[in-house]
Amino acid sequence: MKNLERTNHVDEISIIPTGGAVGAEIRGVDLALPLDVDCVTRIKQAIWDHCVLFFRDQQIDETQQVRFTQYFGQAVPHVRKQRDRPVEEIFIVSNVKENGEEIGALGNAEISFHSDLSYLRKPGTLSFLYAVEVPRTGGATQWVNCYQAYETLSDSMKERLLGLRAVHRHYVEEQNPPKLVDHPIVRTHPETGHQSLYVGPHLTKSIVGFDEAESRTLLEELYSHIMQPQFIWTHEWQVGDLLVWDNRPTMHRREPFPQTERRVMRRTQIFGDEIPVE
Ligand code: SIN
């Protein structure tokens, strides 16, 4: 009953940019409560402006996380099924084992830069990650601003990339579609109209029409450009953080952490459309 009496107001929302390559903190919102259309419009615009948003000190259950996700599109179960999930749209990212079984996915090792679900024909757009338990050391997540990475390429490199496509593949073979998909290396954001680089070392396999050596050389060149510190912002997690990021103009990397520490995160995701050929 108590929650029904309170509500979020757009006038109480403040947006505090991190001052880094991406990111802003959103204050004045309680994600356990519903949001009206004005609040959602303001938060959406903040995503387009800052690519990654974080909300601190949120106490939300799985259903409330799915409700928040649904304001931005259709929350869909992850392609990798997890057993006995009470709320099927929630995907657990964790290194914790209970009774000898992993309660989630992705362990404690580094996960290098990638854009979520890029191995699908209709890849991820927004991802939402809520911190239930965080390690005392390690396990931060970094985002890279792929708009900036694209804009700062030389004109000759921009010209070289025109029309090129890259094949994306997940290392867990069963997660891939029967035929591996390819996407443009440079994509245009449907909301902002800006172009960004769309390749990363974790999920990009090769460039269509290039031999292996040529493909590796060009991808390595792009990765060294993308991974320059000025394009990267790091988030150190606290329990109760909810982060939402746009996978189209960013990639992210998870830092490793000791297996003796517990890290439990809940993820929800929205799949997008096929990326149009330009
Ligand atoms: C992911 O790559 O989706 C997981 C990120 C994280 O665990 O910080």
Side-chain angles (χ1 to χ4, degrees), residues 17 20 41 51 81 91 100 139 145 160 164 175 191-192 198 232 250:
T41 303
C51 304
K81 295 283 170 269
F91 182 73
N145 185 328
R160 189 165 178 216
L164 289 186
Q175 274 180 235
E191 302 290 340
T192 66
Y198 194 61
I232 294 172
T250 63

Side-chain angles (χ1 to χ4, degrees), residues 109-133:
E110 177 191 353
I111 308 168
S112 58
F113 278 109
H114 65 285
S115 175
D116 283 339
L117 306 161
S118 70
Y119 51 90
L120 300 180
R121 171 70 49 207
K122 297 180 175 183
T125 52
L126 302 186
S127 296
F128 302 72
L129 199 61
Y130 177 70
V132 181
E133 291 184 64

Side-chain angles (χ1 to χ4, degrees), residues 80 82-83 85 92-109 131-136 254 257-266:
R80 192 191 309 190
Q82 291 182 323
R83 282 192 297 149
R85 287 264 73 250
I92 302 293
V93 173
S94 183
N95 64 318
V96 172
K97 287 187 182 167
E98 280 171 8
N99 305 320
E101 293 211 17
E102 291 176 346
I103 64 162
L106 305 183
N108 68 314
V132 181
E133 291 184 64
V134 299
R136 284 167 294 188
R254 205 264 316 272
F257 59 97
Q259 179 53 30
T260 46
E261 294 286 318
R262 289 171 64 98
R263 189 176 189 270
V264 181
M265 320 290 264
R266 284 191 222 132

